[in-house]
Amino acid sequence: MLVWALFIAAILVFLALDLGVFNRNAHIISVKEASMWTAIWIAMSFIFSGVVYWLYSSGSIENADQLTPTGASMKFITGYLIELSLSIDNIFVIAIIFTSFNIPQRYQHRVLFWGILGAIVFRALMIFFGIAIIKKFSFATYLFGAFLLITAFRMLFSKEEAFNPKKSFIYRNLRKVMPITSHMQGQKFFVKLRHITAATPLFMALVVIEFTDILFALDSVPAILAITSDPFLVFSSNIFAILGLRSMYFFLAHMINRFSYLKYSLVAILIFVGIKLILAHHYTFPEWLSLGFIAVALVLGVVVSLSRDSSKE
């Protein structure tokens, strides 16, 4: 429990520094600043895999699945890459939400900060219940695996429909229970208008982002459970991917259309982890195969996207 407490405390300290020091004043996040923080978070994630190795080699954390230190490190990196790759679609949706609600660039970081804070809580709950279900009911791996395969084939064959946040279920129902204004007053989520308090577009964007993250978590949590059911590895890899999502959004938001072929990488990854979940009780995939497949799928998606984009230009 000490390791868990220290890990969560470190997250809270960084989030406090992020909002209170690094981004105390609202400003537009430049591509240079976003790329720097993206590189920092990716580097920190791989460095943390070394911490995972030490934790599992020294017996400092409960090792219910009897993982080797090397196996635990590889599972962490594999889980992190899965969560990072599945967050690409989330970045695209976030960009649409900000555009729909006309959120100025200098206020987008604040919305994402609170959105990610909420995402951490929701992911923790979903991970807890997901692991509990798998531990309690062994057949749940078949259900999770089938769900991922269905998601992959829907992503591959279904026609893409334009997402309109203002026509979403949550937005339409929120309008019925609370006053909403198009007026913004700095970074405030609520403003006083005569005798009522109304929600600003910042708050509406935050709520829609939270609910879309829950929908995306329905794919990502079962996907990482195909790699490991170790609670610490699942939670920590999710957290590192979520914390790096903000900087990655500002880094990729303006060039997301250039990575059109990443969709097929995500489909391949979902199919792979779906099959792995279904066969979990019959065959154990080597860790190097899982990590290698996911890494190669991502690299191929990026390379093909950039090469096709260059040829079009």
Side-chain angles (χ1 to χ4, degrees), residues 80-255:
Y80 170 72
L81 289 178
I82 285 178
E83 296 303 315
L84 204 62
S85 60
L86 293 177
S87 68
I88 299 296
D89 274 355
N90 205 352
I91 289 174
F92 181 71
V93 172
I94 290 172
I96 294 174
I97 292 170
F98 281 150
T99 302
S100 178
F101 288 102
N102 295 317
I103 306 299
Q105 284 188 329
R106 63 182 180 274
Y107 299 142
Q108 291 178 4
H109 180 274
R110 181 177 175 81
V111 176
L112 285 178
F113 174 88
W114 292 107
I116 284 170
L117 196 61
I120 290 174
V121 176
F122 287 123
R123 291 291 178 97
L125 291 172
M126 295 183 74
I127 288 168
F128 173 79
F129 287 111
I131 291 175
I133 290 171
I134 282 183
K135 297 287 187 183
K136 183 88 173 169
F137 308 102
S138 59
F139 65 85
T141 56
Y142 299 108
L143 298 178
F144 286 162
F147 175 75
L148 291 177
L149 290 178
I150 292 170
T151 302
F153 287 114
R154 283 182 61 187
M155 186 184 296
L156 185 61
F157 296 112
S158 64
K159 294 181 180 179
E160 293 186 7
E161 297 180 1
F163 173 65
N164 187 345
K166 291 185 177 180
K167 292 183 179 180
S168 64
F169 172 82
I170 184 63
Y171 179 79
R172 286 186 285 108
N173 283 274
L174 270 177
R175 290 190 65 181
K176 297 176 182 178
V177 298
M178 66 187 307
I180 298 173
T181 178
S182 59
H183 174 72
M184 283 198 294
Q185 202 173 83
Q187 300 186 74
K188 293 182 179 179
F189 290 121
F190 296 92
V191 293
K192 196 82 171 178
L193 299 175
R194 294 183 182 177
H195 302 295
I196 63 169
T197 300
T200 66
L202 263 68
F203 180 76
M204 299 310 301
L206 172 62
V207 173
V208 177
I209 286 173
E210 289 287 10
F211 276 86
T212 54
D213 182 76
I214 292 173
L215 294 177
F216 279 107
L218 293 176
D219 296 337
S220 63
V221 171
I224 195 172
L225 290 177
I227 305 301
T228 180
S229 58
D230 183 288
F232 183 75
L233 295 180
V234 175
F235 182 68
S236 58
S237 58
N238 255 271
I239 294 305
F240 272 96
I242 291 172
L243 290 176
L245 181 62
R246 286 168 306 164
S247 55
M248 188 170 290
Y249 164 77
F250 291 109
F251 178 64
L252 293 177
H254 301 295
M255 59 179 88

Side-chain angles (χ1 to χ4, degrees), residues 42-86:
I42 292 174
M44 286 179 64
S45 302
F46 280 90
I47 290 171
F48 190 77
S49 67
V51 176
V52 169
Y53 182 94
W54 175 78
L55 289 173
Y56 283 79
S57 62
S58 62
S60 301
I61 193 167
E62 184 181 359
N63 189 356
D65 294 341
Q66 300 300 310
L67 300 172
T68 64
T70 302
S73 293
M74 292 185 70
K75 284 179 181 295
F76 170 81
I77 295 172
T78 306
Y80 170 72
L81 289 178
I82 285 178
E83 296 303 315
L84 204 62
S85 60
L86 293 177

